[in-house]
Amino acid sequence: MMEQLTVDVLVIGFGKAGKTIAMKRAAAGDRVALVEQDPAMYGGTCINIGCVPTKFLLEQTHLHREFTEARDDRNTFIDRLNAANQKMVEDKGVLLLDGAARFLDSSTVQVGEQVQVSASTIIINTGASSDVEVGGRVHDSTSIQQLEHTPASLAIIGGGPIGLEFATMFSGFGSRVTMYKGEGDFLPALDRHIAQAVREHLENQGITIVDQRISVEQAAEQLDDEAILVATGRRPVVAGLDLEAAGVKYTEKGIEVDEHCRTSVEGIYAVGDVTGAPQFTYASYDDHRIVLSHRWGDGTRTRTGRLLPTTTFIDPPLSTVGLTAEAAGRDYKVEVRESKIADLAIVPRPKIMGQPEGIAQFVVEKESNQILGATLWCIDSQELINTVALAMVQKIPAAAVGEGIYTHPSTSEVFNALLA
């Protein structure tokens, strides 16, 4: 017999935005249901197969661990996080439903074969996934984390952040890594001299970068590497949702939403990767604030003009925010403050940590002294870039950031060195 449920808020998908909305609305007194088709994904992509486990494995290379030991520890750690996320939402009073969700109409969703849920507010938070056909030597970013041993050689198809992070990781575990990045510029979003410096550094670490496009089929036939990783991006998960039944518009790029994360149907929102937005957990987290603001608040928070810093976890990490020097120079009169990290005498922490490599670049508008962008390729850049982004959003002048008092020795002293 089909069970019929009625709730105030229905969230489809256990990702960052969805689970946070679910917990906050449950705490506010709403009846909330959260649907997840795979219990192994409680907590979402980031916690289970994305940001967290991959950074865990990267850290193990610094500790000179064997891959198999690191993998086992990774799995134990992720199991704990998965269970903690389940407990976290259930302790808030959220009803957790296992099963695939599909729309029956604009307010009703079927979950699995036994449950139908109706709600006046529905949040679609199904994320993105790889469309790689995994098998034999061919892996995607999920399956390669579970290899039985360190591959003697690894071919990576794709030169974006995912490919670069796995190249760094498996090179650190001892694999011979070759990256087929495709044609065109390496790291095209960076100024050319910085991209070239990053490339040379990766090559010095033993990673071979090939300016060639190769298909999965070609790789399987022509390459003799022990493993092949396809890192060509992830696609929004819309298949199986029957969005047509609800009248929700979407394209191959994802569900169409406005600046408030509203879909084409009143009462239905979409958040995170499924919308085709930049695939960052923190962007998804911001989406949850946008939905709360629009549906239950004053509606002032939107996606319009939001500033998203990025970090690619190579070694040392590469972080960016705002405009490059080349891009800013087309529209502004700018001053570029730049140095090799090794040349900054008042920033000893990178040398202490044995990682003096990298470049710090700040792009500052001359007239206003506002920071227009930064590229920080250095140890701790994943932390530093957030300070830069905050200064940009709050319109704090570059000189004020440069005159800050920072602990010593810290990589934050790069602000003293280049912005004072």
Side-chain angles (χ1 to χ4, degrees):
M1 182 177 296
M2 188 69 67
E3 182 180 4
Q4 307 279 344
L5 300 175
T6 299
V7 298
D8 299 304
V9 181
L10 172 62
V11 178
I12 305 172
F14 208 144
K16 186 69 168 182
K19 69 184 178 186
T20 312
I21 292 171
M23 289 188 291
K24 288 187 176 180
R25 290 315 304 169
D30 284 348
R31 294 165 296 174
V32 181
L34 172 58
V35 178
E36 176 51 57
Q37 67 176 359
D38 182 2
M41 292 299 289
Y42 286 168
T45 295
C46 178
I47 284 173
N48 291 286
I49 61 174
C51 329
V52 174
T54 55
K55 307 313 172 287
F56 182 94
L57 289 172
L58 277 164
E59 181 60 26
Q60 302 310 297
T61 67
H62 294 158
L63 302 175
H64 307 293
R65 301 283 307 282
E66 292 292 331
F67 173 75
T68 49
E69 294 177 345
R71 178 206 61 206
D72 292 346
D73 286 351
R74 168 234 184 263
N75 292 345
T76 300
F77 177 56
I78 297 309
D79 286 346
R80 290 202 305 268
L81 292 183
N82 181 282
N85 270 261
Q86 177 180 356
K87 184 177 187 301
M88 187 167 59
V89 299
E90 291 181 335
D91 283 353
K92 292 293 186 180
V94 176
L95 174 63
L96 184 56
L97 301 174
D98 293 335
R102 63 182 179 89
F103 281 90
L104 301 178
D105 56 42
S106 61
S107 61
T108 308
V109 171
Q110 180 152 333
V111 181
E113 300 299 325
Q114 302 295 326
V115 180
Q116 290 182 0
V117 186
S118 296
S120 55
T121 302
I122 298 177
I123 316 294
I124 304 171
N125 182 49
T126 48
S129 67
S130 166
D131 58 5
V132 176
E133 187 174 340
V134 172
R137 293 186 297 150
V138 177
H139 295 272
D140 63 10
S141 60
T142 299
S143 67
I144 201 163
Q145 296 178 52
Q146 301 300 335
L147 292 176
E148 290 300 316
H149 60 269
T150 305
S153 60
L154 171 66
I156 299 177
I157 302 175
I162 294 175
L164 287 168
E165 291 185 4
F166 277 100
T168 301
M169 177 196 303
F170 278 99
S171 178
F173 281 124
S175 298
R176 185 176 71 254
V177 177
T178 304
M179 171 180 286
Y180 296 85
K181 74 167 187 62
E183 300 167 354
D185 291 336
F186 178 70
L187 293 175
L190 299 184
D191 286 321
R192 289 301 79 214
H193 70 288
I194 298 179
Q196 182 60 29
V198 173
R199 178 172 183 153
E200 290 174 0
H201 178 67
L202 292 170
E203 291 173 336
N204 289 336
Q205 290 179 328
I207 298 167
T208 300
I209 301 173
V210 181
D211 299 327
Q212 176 187 340
R213 183 181 300 278
I214 188 170
S215 69
V216 179
E217 294 75 20
Q218 288 174 318
E221 291 175 1
Q222 300 173 13
L223 304 180
D224 60 3
D225 296 274
E226 186 175 344
I228 300 169
L229 168 63
V230 183
T232 52
R234 295 167 62 83
R235 313 289 183 267
V237 176
V238 294
L241 288 174
D242 285 351
L243 295 173
E244 295 85 356
V248 173
K249 294 180 180 179
Y250 68 98
T251 69
E252 63 179 11
K253 295 180 180 180
I255 296 175
E256 297 180 359
V257 295
D258 67 6
E259 68 273 18
H260 298 285
C261 296
R262 293 182 297 185
T263 70
S264 55
V265 178
E266 176 66 27
I268 301 180
Y269 295 80
V271 291
D273 298 355
V274 74
T275 67
Q279 294 180 8
F280 303 133
T281 296
Y282 45 93
S284 180
Y285 185 79
D286 190 56
D287 281 353
H288 108 269
R289 294 183 289 207
I290 291 167
V291 172
L292 291 178
S293 172
H294 183 265
R295 193 66 169 174
W296 295 282
D298 60 13
T300 56
R301 195 176 188 104
T302 72
R303 280 182 167 186
T304 303
R306 69 179 177 182
L307 188 68
L308 296 175
T310 73
T311 297
T312 300
F313 284 86
I314 56 177
D315 192 15
L318 171 65
S319 302
T320 67
V321 68
L323 300 175
T324 63
E326 181 182 355
R330 290 194 287 265
D331 298 311
Y332 301 93
K333 292 183 178 180
V334 300
E335 181 179 357
V336 179
R337 315 277 186 86
E338 180 176 314
S339 175
K340 292 181 179 180
I341 297 298
D343 293 341
L344 296 175
I346 68 168
V347 188
R349 174 170 158 77
K351 301 179 184 70
I352 292 170
M353 301 302 294
Q355 289 188 295
E357 304 87 359
I359 296 172
Q361 180 199 79
F362 298 93
V363 183
V364 179
E365 185 182 18
K366 285 185 176 180
E367 183 175 346
S368 66
N369 197 234
Q370 294 294 314
I371 302 171
L372 299 177
T375 299
L376 301 177
W377 172 39
C378 60
I379 187 173
D380 303 324
S381 71
Q382 76 278 10
E383 301 290 349
L384 302 181
I385 205 68
N386 297 319
T387 298
V388 180
L390 180 64
M392 292 172 67
V393 170
Q394 297 300 323
K395 304 296 184 185
I396 300 172
V401 178
E403 291 167 4
I405 300 174
Y406 304 103
T407 57
H408 178 81
S410 69
T411 318
S412 298
E413 290 174 294
V414 71
F415 302 136
N416 296 144
L418 294 178
L419 294 179

